[in-house]
Amino acid sequence: MKFFNYIFSIVILGVVISAASQAQSINLPKESKFKFGDNPEWASLAFNDNDWATQQLGKSFRKDSSYAWYRIKIVIPSGMKTAKGKGIKLYLGKIDDVDQTYFNGKLIGETGSFPPSYVTQWEKQRIYTLPEKEVEWDKENVIAVRIYNLIGGMGMWEGPYSFEPLGWPDEVSFKQDFVVTPNNGFAAKMVFTNKTGDAFSGTIKYWISNKANNSILFSETKPVQLSTKQGSEAVVAFTDFKPANENVFNVGYQINDNNSPLFIKKEQLYIATGNLEIPFTGEVKPLIKDKIPTHFATIPFRDQHFNGYLNTRFTQNLEQRLLKVDEFGLMGSYMNRPGIHPWAGEHVGKYLETATNVWKLTHNAALKKQMDRMMYELINTQKEDGYLGTYTPDQYWTSWDVWSHKYNLHGLLTYYAATGYKPAVETCKRMGDLLCKTFGKSKGQKDIILAGEHVGMAATSVLDAMVELYRYTADKKYLDFCYYILDAWEQDNGPKVISSILATGKVKKVGNGKAYEMLSNYVGLVKLYQITGDKKFLKATEMAWEDVVANQLYITGTSSSHEHFQDDEYLPATNKDNMGEGCVTTTWVQLNQNLFATTGDVKYLNQLERSVYNHLLAAENPQTGCVSYYTPLMNKKPYTCYITCCQSSVPRGIALVPNFTFGNIDNTPTILFYEPAVYKEKITAPDKNNIDVAFKLEGNFPESGHLVLSVTSSKPASFPVALRVPEWCTNYTAKAGGKIYKGTPNQFITITKNWKQGEKVMISFDMPVKTIAGGKSYPNQVAFQRGPQILALDGSLNTASANDFILNSKEGVSIDNPNLTNDSKMLPTHWIGKQAYSIEGFKKNEKIILVPFAEASQTEGEMRVWLPFNIKK
């Protein structure tokens, strides 16, 4: 796990600064000329591009296997000439997939490889040098960028986009560190390093100012000297600063070169949190009641205590992911705008929602301190007008800016609902007010479709958060804003989130087919249905759900390849297919959670169970807490520990699970997941008195289908208890009070009786092994399912001979209807999980070991869900 060991009583950015922070940097135009096709003449300075279309930089679009060109026109002032003539540094951001870049007709760089030797470099920053001899000073110059894309998104999709003179900032690196001192004090230190061997002589001015009025509280200037030796260092330490009563400051510095006009100036926030104490005033309920009564309601997280399989994964999520989270990575882009990438702002909001839900379940003291600290830091970075993103003013409301505000609304509202801390909701109201003021159809307002990626679906997904803001504030303007979003969907330039799905029934036809953003919009739409009762909203969401289940869903409960919905039943599953984006899995869980609560239909719960026990848990390594951005069914899971959107989303999804393991369906307490746990509930007895009831479920599910449910009430009373009969089980029975109840898959058993103290229900069901055909993408191959779990071969647990036979088999191997034998004793001692099963009969004296897909590849083993077997019936 990558995280920073710094003193937690402050938050401050300590980074190696690049020349991008120079005052002399100039941004490229926001739009450029653009044309699909490929012609080498388009690189020329003299080429006439007047009939070309325009394309906004920082936007991606979908067009498979295509060439295209950008032509960006800039004027470079002669004031950028340097004494040594080193040239101009050009920042072109990230380009999907490969590029060749020309300056005034001459090739200056390329990243990736074009066909026939195609190699993608879609995530690599492009930084090229413009030779000074090629520059037309104070005149128009042309940057021509030739790009190629194989599949999925395409274009110059992420900045920065700027140019600046090369100089000493490219030859000297420096790092800022802070040391906490008593009484909320701190001392700054700068370490300079010579990267090239040229001497450097200059000064650094350092200051601390009051955030409220920007008055200078402390200032100091010191010299900087670096010798000509490459790698030599110089350390500049500043005097210890002792604040009075302030906690939030602006901290800045300016580094000047004695031999050139180039300088670097930076200013950022410093927030002291060492003495922070956030009071807990109690949970807060929404002010707005749903017009559509929910058919399912969970119980408070504090009344749930898990003991089994899921508890192990919940604990890992807390200890290996949340408590080790990179706090600098979450907040650095707010402390020092602009952010390190366009969607850097989404992470802290996701973290706050996740941490709050986990704290409600565990009441872990360390987590409470951490989430208090992150919340306090976040709300103190809000601008006076309510802005709480990571962009600079010239880039407000572009790319992923609204998107980040959405997640900040989610995180802070979740925190407020759990703790009652009013500054959190006040911060949300200021964000909401700013969104309402900024976007709309009145004169001077912006079009929200143009404010986000993927035909505006990224920006309009704020619908979900605005519904929640309306629920907790009862301010109708937030509801009106939700209706504005629905109108925006249906504009000529909109994604047609409702009309397209109603007309075609195909999610691929909605917007540009981008799965994560689209599903996020449908989550908001079903929530809008809950508070308004408009059946059209539910119908559109259900039609999208039906298409995903019928044509877009992997057997492990996720969707998308290359982050988009694909052709019907096309479900490629290797690493190169970028399948099962973690953000899609979590949002699919959210959608099913809300549909289940709204309708009580067990089909949504079935999808929740499928996703949780398979793709959701599979995306987080149970040993390290690292997360796979895409989680394939074949090959090694590519776990990483740094922060990305999916690394923030997957822990969030895991933290949502207690919402649907137990609760009340139409006021009947119901066991939904068969996880060992204790649930405490208040029930209204027939005499209208409330009684306390504890439901204790014991067993070792999902290893076994034999469980005991103890029902302990504060006094004897008659009330119903329901048990879900899973769709994958057989021979379901429940014994209570001398009576045997037989269950039908996909139905419920309801036991109504006078419950005595500690009365037990003996539950038993079989979990037969099911084989699933590989379909269009994996013909002549099968997968194995036991209970809710998909099984996988993990190469680290199998012999070299078995791995070679299975992983390299070109044709299906015929075997009799296979039986799985419990082989858990062969698991390594450090393995997280207790299940392993062997299959014999495909090769003499050989067997293969299968484990749950959710646990496979945790030790970096090659993995395979689809196996080359032809099953003889």
Side-chain angles (χ1 to χ4, degrees), residues 496-631:
K496 314 295 191 297
V497 172
I498 294 178
S499 63
S500 183
I501 196 68
L502 292 178
T504 68
K506 296 295 182 184
V507 290
K508 187 183 176 184
K509 300 293 185 180
V510 177
N512 64 349
K514 185 67 162 59
Y516 178 19
E517 289 75 8
M518 187 194 308
L519 289 176
S520 298
N521 278 270
Y522 285 121
V523 171
L525 191 59
V526 72
K527 288 186 176 182
L528 191 60
Y529 165 70
Q530 293 166 356
I531 65 170
T532 65
D534 191 325
K535 293 182 179 179
K536 181 174 69 173
F537 302 161
L538 179 63
K539 182 179 180 181
T541 306
E542 288 180 327
M543 287 184 68
W545 182 90
E546 288 164 1
D547 184 45
V548 173
V549 172
N551 301 303
Q552 302 286 345
L553 195 67
Y554 288 86
I555 61 174
T556 49
T558 192
S559 191
S560 80
S561 173
H562 296 283
E563 303 189 6
H564 287 74
F565 291 121
Q566 303 294 329
D567 293 337
D568 286 359
E569 299 179 41
Y570 175 65
L571 299 168
T574 67
N575 263 334
K576 69 178 182 180
D577 299 308
N578 289 351
M579 66 146 293
E581 182 187 4
C583 297
V584 173
T585 307
T586 292
T587 312
W588 179 243
V589 166
Q590 287 180 285
L591 183 63
N592 280 282
Q593 174 193 336
N594 281 278
L595 285 169
F596 177 59
T598 302
T599 67
D601 195 325
V602 72
K603 68 183 182 183
Y604 301 119
L605 187 70
N606 291 340
Q607 294 302 329
L608 287 167
E609 184 179 62
R610 179 184 301 275
S611 296
V612 169
Y613 281 100
N614 294 290
H615 223 88
L616 182 63
L617 294 182
E620 186 173 276
N621 189 311
Q623 295 196 28
T624 65
C626 298
V627 172
S628 53
Y629 193 112
Y630 307 110
T631 307

Side-chain angles (χ1 to χ4, degrees), residues 23-93:
Q24 294 85 352
S25 179
I26 297 176
N27 291 329
L28 297 183
K30 293 183 179 180
E31 290 186 338
S32 77
K33 291 291 187 174
F34 178 83
K35 188 178 181 64
F36 285 109
D38 195 28
N39 187 334
E41 294 181 2
W42 296 348
S44 171
L45 172 64
F47 179 77
N48 187 343
D49 56 20
N50 287 340
D51 62 343
W52 283 27
T54 59
Q55 177 71 28
Q56 184 175 331
L57 298 183
K59 286 267 187 183
S60 64
F61 47 92
R62 184 173 176 81
K63 194 167 180 70
D64 293 344
S65 191
S66 298
Y67 288 86
W69 285 69
Y70 291 81
R71 285 175 56 87
I72 307 166
K73 298 174 183 178
I74 61 172
V75 175
I76 304 177
S78 54
M80 281 194 172
K81 290 182 181 179
T82 60
K84 297 181 180 180
K86 294 182 177 181
I88 305 296
K89 183 185 285 189
L90 175 66
Y91 296 88
L92 291 180

Side-chain angles (χ1 to χ4, degrees), residues 287-304:
L287 299 177
I288 296 295
K289 293 184 178 180
D290 292 341
K291 285 191 176 181
I292 301 299
T294 57
H295 286 272
F296 170 76
T298 189
I299 64 172
F301 282 24
R302 64 177 179 271
D303 295 328
Q304 304 183 48

Side-chain angles (χ1 to χ4, degrees), residues 191-324:
V191 179
F192 294 79
T193 304
N194 190 326
K195 300 194 306 185
T196 63
D198 290 336
F200 174 76
S201 174
T203 60
I204 176 169
K205 180 181 180 180
Y206 167 74
W207 66 88
I208 301 168
S209 64
N210 186 301
K211 179 178 181 289
N213 56 26
N214 215 32
S215 60
I216 299 296
L217 303 175
F218 175 85
S219 178
E220 195 169 28
T221 300
K222 292 198 172 187
V224 182
Q225 298 284 339
L226 277 174
S227 72
T228 57
K229 182 180 179 182
Q230 184 174 354
S232 61
E233 289 188 348
V235 178
V236 179
F238 295 96
T239 304
D240 181 12
F241 173 68
K242 301 290 187 183
N245 299 314
E246 302 94 336
N247 290 320
V248 185
F249 311 92
N250 288 320
V251 176
Y253 56 84
Q254 180 169 318
I255 305 170
N256 296 302
D257 178 19
N258 291 339
N259 301 303
S260 79
L262 299 183
F263 64 90
I264 288 178
K265 183 178 182 180
K266 299 288 284 188
E267 190 168 68
Q268 58 207 54
L269 282 177
Y270 169 101
I271 301 177
T273 59
N275 300 323
L276 184 65
E277 294 288 342
I278 301 295
F280 173 74
T281 60
E283 295 186 5
V284 179
K285 293 183 178 180
L287 299 177
I288 296 295
K289 293 184 178 180
D290 292 341
K291 285 191 176 181
I292 301 299
T294 57
H295 286 272
F296 170 76
T298 189
I299 64 172
F301 282 24
R302 64 177 179 271
D303 295 328
Q304 304 183 48
H305 305 277
F306 292 87
N307 303 306
Y309 179 78
L310 284 184
N311 183 60
T312 299
R313 301 305 293 266
F314 292 164
T315 301
Q316 295 299 101
N317 195 36
L318 167 65
E319 296 178 354
Q320 298 299 326
R321 189 68 198 171
L322 291 176
L323 292 178
K324 293 183 178 180

